Structures are given as structure tokens and as C-alpha cells.
Amino acid sequence: MNNPLKLSIFDHEKVGFDTDSIKHSLSNGLTYSVGKDTITAINRDRFFAAAYMVRNRLIDRWMETMRSYYINDAKRVYYFSLEFLMGRTLMNSVHNLGFDQQFREACNDLGIDLDKVREIEPDAALGNGGLGRLAACFLDSMATLSLPGYGYGIRYEYGMFAQRIEDGRQVEHPDNWLRYGNPWEFPRAEVLHQVKFHGRVVQYEDENGVARYHWIDTDDVMAMAFDTPIPGYGTHTVNNMRLWAAKATRDFELRYFNEGNYVKAVEDKNDSENLSKVLYPDDTTAMGRELRLKQQYFFVCASLHDILYRYNKYQTNFDALPDKVAIQLNDTHPAIAIPELMRILVDLHRLDWDKAWDITIRTFAYTNHTLMPEALETWAVTLFENVLPRHMQIIYEINRRFLKDVMHRYPGDTEILRRMSIIDEEGGRRVRMAHLAIIGSHKVNGVAQIHTELMKQTIFADFDRFFPGKIINITNGITPRRWLNQANRRLAELITSRIGAGWVKNLSQLKNLIPLADEASFREEFAAVKRADKERFVTMLKQKHNIDISADSLFDVQIKRIHEYKRQLLNVLHIVTLYNRLREDPDAHYVPRTVIFGGKAAPGYATAKLIIKLINDIADIVNNDPKVAGRLKVVFIPNYDVSTAEEMIPAADLSEQISTAGTEASGTGNMKLALNGALTIGTLDGANIEIRNEVGEDNIFIFGLTAAEVAEAKVKGYRPWDFYHDNAELRTALDMIASGFFSISEPGRFKPIVDSLLQGGDKYMLLADYASYIACQEKVAIAYQNQDEWIRKAILNIANMGKFSSDHTIMQYASKIWDAKQVIPVE
């Protein structure tokens, strides 16, 4: 007999999208899922109740989507990424499901302060920067486009470190984002895959006299799945992100426990589960490097076995694998999946090598994200042989067969064999993961036009010649759902009021704003929105960080990972130059400017951390000098993450994209800022070139050497001292930094930075671009004084950003690489 009480609690739960249903779900969730009432509940409880309310509205669509993929026997796309920088999920899901207004009304009726509740949610900071955020945008677009897409990665217990600024220095603290649990994930205790490490390989002959290999005496760990639904916008499609957590093969050695040695009993368990503890362990130590390699294999091994389990439900052999499975490798971190699939096919399923290799190549594709040779991932052969002995054998065999083909194409050319080999024989034998990824994939893509061309002309020129047509370009993109519709609601509503809401799914519709740029009333409305966004940011900065800035100033924003090639130092040199000009002529008219930095330095990257200290020391002097009061301010915002970006980007006036030409693969911060009406100051690097082509040369500020000029200068012999001697303002700025003007208590603190420019060769050519940058900043200041024209330029930037939607990017992947088709769930 049915229990009537059970029916009244659960079967009558309303999962509609009207205000009353939402209120009912919020109240029920608080009581039955969180276990609180309205008297004892705190905002964290209300957040969990809201999350469960949204999650319940995702589940039916999620199930329908997964069923539709099985019913249609759809080709599935699997996006392998070591990073997924998802940010907060609550409001993103609400917007994508289309009940923002009803949700706000329900919260208001129940006396819930939604602004406070949504601030409770931690960022899921399972990424370091652009790579992880790109992966998150791609998952959003695949769901919005109803493509059968899955994300695979690691469920790090501790994400990217929490950055605090103490005495001007970056101090890393653990980011325990799972401290209070994660309401969006579904643990799948039954989905477990064994992952092996170490051990040894035994060769034997099978019944047909064929050499076979058995990997034995291994150290094993289990990978357990955690699923998160990924909703598309304006569609019933809800895709899946599956992250793996490491679990010990057994809880503990009972023998040790019974002997009373409790520490030893759990030692192996803790060691095993460390695999998924931390994003990017410090790889400056041997132990850290081993852990990082293990992480990479851990997640691709579990993911491949998971994919093949799903595939084998409906297939009797592997012939159709490339027709049913597309695996995209996001950078080289997952490239070890190539030898792992070969091991599965050859060792476990006994396919012959040539057939297995053909299947493997047609299954994988690889996205490259860097042009800098020193940034291309390599692993010591000795480490690889120790951790993954069978995979090292397979890589040797892949390399042997590949180099034989190269030798046939270029007989007698030993130099090209050396350059193209997977194994780098110089300076200690190392496995070149990018070479493995290129050889083992059917397509390789760069992420901006210039990046792809430079790939083909420089670091991978040999491969482009050997595999004509394999390397293609697909420019990166960003999801307009998070980066405009959610992050900048005022602007989104203004745009929708004039051209309709279709732009949220079809960003090219922003072109309809072009005539409005010449309409005075629209420019006034836009200016009011920008002012409100700036004032909101001013308030946030005061409340969270006790920093005062003026919304009347030009907000000059550089928000990205702290790295020498991104050239925060060039920005610093402009600040010091502007500061000196203000001191020398206090009565001169200057546009008030607030220079805002945000970004993290890798914990082991000493120079980047010193740059953060320099920025903060300069801020301390500049911000407290009465001669420049109100006209120049420098701010470093700690712990930059997705949620912080959502607050900063709508307020920005100027977007700093100033990397050395030829070093930035694409950049996506440039796209996010331009989409919100910030004008770009930048070099002809990465996607800046394509942004210039779209928005027009009159609506962007370009400076500096081109990639060709950078290469030419290096060939001729770049001499930074010449620029130092020839430019008095540059010389003064560098001397002030080196002599301790900004670090009186420790005068030599920043001398290493200046020495790296003058004595160390100025690798990223800051001094060569300094004069051009300063001149370009002067043009910015002049342009900003004509606010009406500045607003017009900002509108035209937004109007021409349609190309940079991640929807456009994903459609290119689907047609050029994956051959994936839409599957619309049955509603």
C-alpha cells in the first residue's frame, strides 16, 4: 500500500517555472533537503535550497537529453580538459532555463535577499585561467546548440589557490571549495574505473605467435565519477560534465589496523586519494612532477574506459568508434590518451597495430594553446618509464613507425628526424607531448588566425609540411550567456529592448546595434548603463576590499594571469611615466585614470610574484601622493576569479591586451571586455587582430611591433640598452624602480626586474614597444575626453563581436573536426 504521507511530501512537489511553484520548491527544499525552517535558516541554507530547486528543474531535461542520445545513436563529443573554470552555477542555470524574473519574485515574496544568497556560492575554480574558462564556455555552447557533448576532467578537492595580498605580496591559501558540499554534483559511486601506475611489462606470445604485452605488479587507484548537469540556453538540452575523484582500492590494510598501527593503515589510502586533491601540484620537485603526470593519466584512463563502456553497449567491435566518438584534447595535458587508447585496443582487445592506429587517429583531435617552445609540455623519459612503463613502450613504437615514414619522405635528412621525433634527445631524453598529440590526431587547430599561421610557419612547420591540411584555425570564443546576459544585466536589458533577445543565442544579431550608435538617445541610455555599472563596481570594491576609487575616472583594466609575456610590466612603466608627468606639472590637465589589475601568479613563479609586489608598492606611493590625488590611482584586486571578472568587466572603459606580438595564442579576456563596451588597447597579437578587423581600426588602439618585426629584431640582435639610453622617460622610470623609489625599506627589491630587461635581454621586448605604447595611451586619453564619441566607439565594439561567440566557435569544431550533429531532446 502506498504511504499517503510520502506522497504528500514528494509526489506533489511542483517543478514548474511560475512564481508559486518556485516558492513551493524553495520552502520544501529548505525543509526536506536542507533540514531547516525559516527561523533557524541562514543564507547558506537558503542558497542550498535555491540550488536544489534549480537542480530539480534540470533533472528531467538532463535525463531526456541522455536518452535522446541513446535513441538516436548519436555521435558524441568528449572534451578532455585538465581544467574547467566553471564559476558559479546558480544564476547561470536560472538565466539559461529562462526564469530569472520569476525566481526573483519568489525570493522577494519569501523575504530572501537574493544578492546575499548568490554570494554564498563558491566559484568552482577548477582551472588556472583562459584554458579552463574556454572549456566552460564550450560546454555551455555545446548544450545551447544541442550537440551531444560531454566534459571530462578531475574533481579537484582544492581548486586554484585563494590569493591574498599581504604586505603587497601574493600569499597562497587553500581553496577548499567543497567545504560545505556541492549541490550541483551527483556522486556516482557505482561508476568506478581502475587506474594503474608503475609495475612492469611482461612480453609473451599468444596462440598465433603474435607478441603481446601484459602490464603487471601495478599500484592501483580507483576513479569515481561525479556528474554535473550543464544546461543550454533556450533549449531542453542539458549535457553532462563528468569529473573523476581518486579513491583507494581499499580503505586500509586491515592487518595494520588490527596491529594498532592506524597511521600505516590509512597511509596507502591517503597517498592514492592525493591524486585529485590539488589542481596543478608544484612541479618544481620530482614528487610534484610525478603527481602531475599521474593526474593526467588518471583522468584520461578513467574517461576512455568510461567512453568505451558506453560505446560497447551498442557496438560489437571498434570499427565504428571514430563514427560514434570524437575526443578533443584541450592542450597537451590529455595527450597521453593516445597511447592509452592504443594500449586498450592492442593489449586488451588484440587489434592489430595498424587498425588500432587508424581508429585512434580518426578519434582524436588536438587544440594547441601556445607558440612558445619553452611552454610546450615535455616529460622526462625516466619518469615516464617509471610511472607508465607500457605507455612508454607504445610511444617508442609510435615514434619508430612515424620516423620511418618521415625518412621515406625525406631520405638522408637526419635533421628533420631529430626535429620531428616524439623523443627529444637533447639535454636529457624527454617526451614531446605536442608532437605525440599532432601525430596521433586527425586534426590540429590553433585558436586565432595569427596563432595558427605562426604554428605552421615556426614551431610546427615540419608537421604542416608533412601533414598538409591537418593544422587548421578555429578562433576561440566566449559564451554571451555568462559574459553579457548574466554579468551585465543592465546592458543586456538595454540591448534586448532595442533589438530583441535573439542575440543571446545568435550573437551576430548585435549587428543591429550599428545604426543605434549614431542615435543620440541610445548613446545616452548606454552611457547611463555604463555609469551604473561603474558605480556598482565602486561600491563592491569599497565593501569587499575597503578601496576607494572614483567612477568619474577612466577605468583602465588588465585582468589576466600574471606572466612576463602578458606584460603587466609594460603597464607599470606607463603608470610610472604618467606619475612622473603629474608630479612635474601638477597644473596640467590629465584625464583621471584608475588602473586596475587582477590575476594570480603561479606559486613557483618568483618573477611574476615580484611583479605583483611591484604593482602594490607603486600603488602605495601613487595613491598617497597629494600631488596626483584624484587623477591617478592604482588598484590590485586580490583573488581574481570568474565571479570577480563578472563584476569588473561591465565597469571597464579600457581593456589592456598588450602581450608581445606572436606570444598570445588568442586571449578571451579581450573578447569579454569588448563585448561589454570596453575599448581595446593592444598589440597585433592573438585575437586582437581579428577584433580589429571586426570593429574597425578607428575603434581600437593598436601599438607596438608586429610578430614579423619582433622576429626580425631578434634575428638582427635586439639591444634593450639602446632604448634605455634613447628615451629619457623610460630611463627615469626604470631607474626609479631599480633604485628603490617605490621600495624605500628595501631599495634593491625590484632590481632583478630591471636587470631582466637590461641585462637579461628583455625577452618580451617591453622596451622596444614602450614609446609606441605611451603614445597610444595619449591617444586613449584624448579620445576619452570626447565622451559622446567614446560611447559611440564602445557601442560599435559590442555590435561587431558576433564572430567571437563560442557558439560560432563550436559550430566550426562540429563541422570541421568532429562531424557532430544536433540532437534535439524529446520534450
Side-chain angles (χ1 to χ4, degrees), residues 705-718 765:
L705 301 175
T706 65
E709 289 168 340
V710 167
E712 183 182 359
K714 289 181 177 178
V715 169
K716 288 182 176 178
Y718 173 55
M765 303 185 78

Side-chain angles (χ1 to χ4, degrees), residues 259-515:
E259 292 171 358
N261 190 349
Y262 307 119
V263 173
K264 180 63 178 174
V266 299
E267 190 176 75
D268 291 342
K269 173 180 165 65
N270 290 340
D271 286 347
S272 296
E273 296 181 359
N274 280 341
L275 268 178
S276 57
K277 283 283 185 188
V278 181
L279 168 71
Y280 289 157
D282 183 7
D283 60 1
T284 59
T285 66
M287 187 179 296
R289 288 190 291 274
E290 179 173 323
L291 178 55
R292 192 158 171 172
L293 178 60
K294 283 182 171 180
Q295 282 186 337
Q296 293 183 5
Y297 177 65
F298 165 77
F299 104 84
V300 302
C301 173
S303 302
L304 280 173
H305 283 275
D306 203 50
I307 290 166
L308 295 178
Y309 172 79
R310 190 176 297 120
Y311 171 85
N312 285 326
K313 280 185 175 181
Y314 297 93
Q315 304 292 332
T316 57
N317 58 52
F318 292 98
D319 293 353
L321 187 67
D323 300 320
K324 297 299 178 184
V325 170
I327 300 175
Q328 190 68 35
L329 306 176
N330 189 25
D331 213 341
T332 55
H333 308 127
I336 200 169
I338 293 168
E340 172 63 7
L341 182 55
M342 285 296 291
R343 185 185 73 85
I344 293 169
L345 296 178
V346 173
D347 290 1
L348 303 186
H349 294 278
R350 296 194 171 187
L351 271 66
D352 71 73
W353 180 279
D354 289 338
K355 183 173 184 177
W357 184 238
D358 175 67
I359 290 170
T360 297
I361 289 175
R362 292 192 292 124
T363 300
F364 286 106
Y366 158 55
T367 301
N368 172 270
H369 288 282
T370 185
L371 286 166
M372 295 183 286
E374 67 274 17
L376 292 172
E377 186 178 42
T378 64
W379 292 104
V381 166
T382 52
L383 174 62
F384 227 105
E385 288 174 331
N386 176 42
V387 176
L388 300 167
R390 178 60 184 140
H391 297 76
M392 192 68 249
Q393 291 179 343
I394 292 171
I395 290 170
Y396 280 143
E397 183 61 14
I398 292 170
N399 197 44
R400 184 189 70 79
R401 291 169 179 250
F402 171 68
L403 291 183
K404 184 177 179 181
D405 291 342
V406 175
M407 183 177 64
H408 290 160
R409 181 85 63 88
Y410 309 106
D413 190 344
T414 56
E415 184 60 21
I416 199 170
L417 293 175
R418 182 192 64 79
R419 292 197 306 265
M420 297 185 75
S421 174
I422 297 173
I423 308 300
D424 183 357
E425 303 285 354
E426 298 178 6
R429 303 176 75 230
R430 302 186 68 83
V431 181
R432 296 161 164 161
M433 300 305 285
H435 291 204
L436 175 63
I438 292 171
I439 295 164
S441 298
H442 68 280
K443 286 292 182 185
V444 176
N445 73 283
V447 290
Q449 287 174 0
I450 184 176
H451 169 232
T452 303
E453 287 308 308
L454 289 172
M455 281 172 63
K456 295 195 285 188
Q457 294 167 14
T458 59
I459 54 173
F460 301 133
D462 293 326
F463 289 99
D464 185 54
R465 193 156 54 110
F466 190 82
F467 297 116
K470 178 179 273 197
I471 300 176
I472 64 172
N473 179 64
I474 300 181
T475 298
N476 280 344
I478 59 172
T479 170
R481 269 76 63 183
R482 183 176 289 269
W483 295 111
L484 180 50
N485 192 49
Q486 176 183 329
N488 200 340
R489 290 298 295 165
R490 291 185 184 90
L491 181 55
E493 288 166 2
L494 173 61
I495 292 170
T496 298
S497 73
R498 292 302 193 99
I499 68 170
W503 63 269
V504 183
K505 283 191 79 169
N506 182 1
L507 202 61
S508 63
Q509 290 188 19
L510 291 179
K511 287 279 188 185
N512 294 325
L513 293 174
I514 291 175

Side-chain angles (χ1 to χ4, degrees), residues 57-75:
R57 281 154 177 77
L58 289 173
I59 289 174
D60 282 344
R61 297 184 180 194
W62 193 26
M63 300 301 178
E64 289 167 5
T65 301
M66 295 301 112
R67 282 194 295 269
S68 69
Y69 296 161
Y70 280 109
I71 291 168
N72 289 278
D73 193 20
K75 182 175 186 177

Side-chain angles (χ1 to χ4, degrees), residues 78-120:
Y78 299 102
Y79 198 79
F80 280 21
S81 182
L82 205 56
E83 301 183 28
F84 285 98
L85 196 56
M86 302 303 293
R88 291 170 174 162
T89 298
L90 177 63
M91 294 311 298
N92 184 69
S93 296
V94 168
H95 287 304
N96 278 9
L97 290 172
F99 67 105
D100 174 62
Q101 182 179 344
Q102 299 92 319
F103 179 43
R104 290 177 183 277
E105 288 173 357
C107 288
N108 187 60
D109 290 351
L110 293 173
I112 297 172
D113 186 333
L114 180 56
D115 288 337
K116 289 183 179 177
V117 167
R118 67 183 184 183
E119 284 292 316
I120 294 293

